[in-house]
């Protein structure tokens, strides 16, 4: 059989939010490269015969460098294997799936993309915060809070972001949350704009911290907020109600 790489989104948590197609390709995989984010249940669903390669980041250190991950995919697919590259959420929303696609194209390797349920939408949703709502937001902007340090200048235009009237969702934003809140306020965003930080969304131990742009950095500091977390900024946060785990019983 000809080798192929499947760029697969594993969803934001439990196996229930893995797509049917994702489960199909996972079940016939010869090699699975996974990050730290897929839930344990999903890891447990991998076939016994499959070679498992942990590409996760631990405490900021990558087990494997990006180039090494790409090399392994190219090598195994080149040898005729069915390779599943499992990524948290959707494979193309941050997380370097786009670079992997470019590399595989360059090498002439067959690729299939299996989209996933993204944490940017699902984590707020399961916490009871719809990312759009007719009364609060007609627009959704998803940004990274973790700019590539190699970039000569920020890819984010804070002036524009501060002017947006819709919802802003920040992924990978815990470390820079004080800076993000500060930049938005400095560029004119209302200091009273509601903000929610959802840690370990859709897991058993999910925790939500709600505040405003002016106090969210201090609140998060006091509560020792840690990644992974999804940050939601905007009026939709006022729809949040504490203690509704029943909205999303399928937790990873
Ligand atoms: N491709 C992924 C995002 C990769 S970036 C997706 O579509 O969801 C990794 C970031 O996603 C984390 O830093 C965090 O901001 C967010 N994230 C992913 N899963 C999460 C979860 N279960 N709870 C909270 N944040 C999560």
């Amino acid at each position: 059989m000809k080798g192929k790489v499947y760029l697969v989104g594993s969803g934001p948590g439990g196996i229930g939010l893995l797509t049917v197609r994702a489960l199909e390709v996972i079940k016939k995989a010869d090699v699975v490269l996974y990050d730290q984010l897929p839930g344990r249940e999903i890891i447990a669903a991998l076939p016994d015969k499959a070679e498992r390669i942990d590409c996760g980041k631990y405490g900021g250190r990558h087990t494997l460098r990006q180039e090494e991950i790409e090399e392994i995919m190219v090598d195994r697919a080149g040898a005729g294997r069915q390779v599943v590259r499992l990524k948290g959420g959707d494979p193309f929303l941050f997380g370097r799936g786009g670079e992997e696609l470019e590399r595989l194209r360059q090498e002439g390797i067959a690729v299939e993309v299996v989209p996933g349920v993204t944490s940017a939408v699902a984590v707020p949703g399961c916490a009871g915060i719809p990312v759009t709502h007719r009364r609060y937001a007609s627009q959704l902007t998803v940004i990274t809070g973790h700019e590539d340090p190699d970039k000569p200048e920020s890819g984010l235009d804070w002036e524009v972001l501060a002017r947006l009237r819709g919802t802003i969702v920040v992924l990978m934003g815990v470390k820079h949350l004080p800076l993000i809140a500060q930049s938005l306020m400095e560029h004119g965003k209302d200091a009273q704009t509601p903000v929610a930080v959802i840690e370990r969304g859709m897991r058993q131990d999910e925790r939500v911290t709600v505040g405003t742009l002016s106090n969210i950095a201090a609140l998060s500091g006091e509560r020792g907020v840690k990644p992974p977390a999804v940050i939601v900024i905007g009026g939709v946060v006022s729809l949040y109600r504490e203690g509704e785990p029943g909205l999303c019983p399928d937790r990873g």
Side-chain angles (χ1 to χ4, degrees):
M1 201 168 19
K2 254 195 94 190
K4 187 168 177 178
V5 175
Y6 298 83
L7 294 174
V8 179
S10 65
I15 198 163
L17 291 177
L18 195 71
T19 66
V20 172
R21 181 63 183 154
L23 198 56
E24 255 170 34
V25 303
I26 284 171
K27 284 192 167 153
K28 61 178 191 187
D30 300 311
V31 183
V32 181
L33 298 100
Y34 59 89
D35 294 329
Q36 191 189 13
L37 286 174
R40 242 172 285 136
E41 273 175 319
I42 294 175
I43 301 297
L46 307 180
D48 288 339
K49 58 146 190 155
E51 180 188 4
R52 298 164 186 220
I53 302 169
D54 182 356
C55 309
K57 253 198 278 181
Y58 298 96
R61 272 189 47 213
H62 289 267
T63 324
L64 289 171
R65 283 182 301 123
Q66 183 63 25
E67 282 152 52
E68 293 174 309
I69 295 170
E70 291 171 15
E71 280 308 317
I72 294 171
M73 290 196 286
V74 168
D75 172 75
R76 304 298 195 275
R81 305 259 160 71
Q82 305 301 299
V83 179
V84 168
R85 175 67 175 115
L86 202 55
K87 291 177 147 317
D90 182 87
F92 289 158
L93 188 67
F94 305 130
R96 309 186 75 167
E99 288 164 54
E100 294 173 11
L101 175 66
E102 283 183 306
R103 176 71 195 276
L104 295 163
R105 279 176 174 160
Q106 238 171 41
E107 304 280 346
I109 287 167
V111 182
E112 178 179 323
V113 176
V114 184
V117 174
T118 180
S119 66
V121 175
V123 165
C126 282
I129 305 173
V131 289
T132 69
H133 185 291
R134 281 173 67 95
R135 272 205 309 281
Y136 299 101
S138 308
Q139 185 179 19
L140 168 65
T141 305
V142 182
I143 65 173
T144 169
H146 175 83
E147 281 283 355
D148 186 342
D150 294 335
K151 262 193 202 165
E153 57 186 64
S154 170
L156 295 172
D157 184 335
W158 293 101
E159 204 179 318
V160 170
L161 289 168
R163 272 209 308 269
L164 295 174
R165 284 189 295 169
T167 306
I168 299 175
V169 165
V170 189
L171 300 187
M172 300 178 280
V174 170
K175 190 171 154 206
H176 294 147
L177 178 56
L179 207 71
I180 292 164
Q182 193 59 39
S183 305
L184 288 171
M185 288 188 291
E186 270 170 19
H187 288 93
K189 195 151 182 78
D190 185 350
Q192 294 314 309
T193 308
V195 182
V197 181
I198 308 156
E199 294 170 84
R200 301 176 298 278
M202 309 181 63
R203 311 273 177 179
Q204 302 289 350
D205 57 348
E206 173 180 297
R207 180 170 72 162
V208 184
T209 301
V210 176
T212 60
L213 269 187
S214 62
N215 69 12
I216 196 67
L219 275 176
S220 300
E222 279 163 28
R223 287 165 60 103
V225 166
K226 284 197 216 48
V230 172
I231 301 166
V232 188
I233 304 170
V236 290
V237 170
S238 59
L239 294 162
Y240 175 71
R241 294 283 171 272
E242 222 178 300
E244 285 189 307
L247 281 181
C248 221
D250 175 41
R251 290 175 183 263

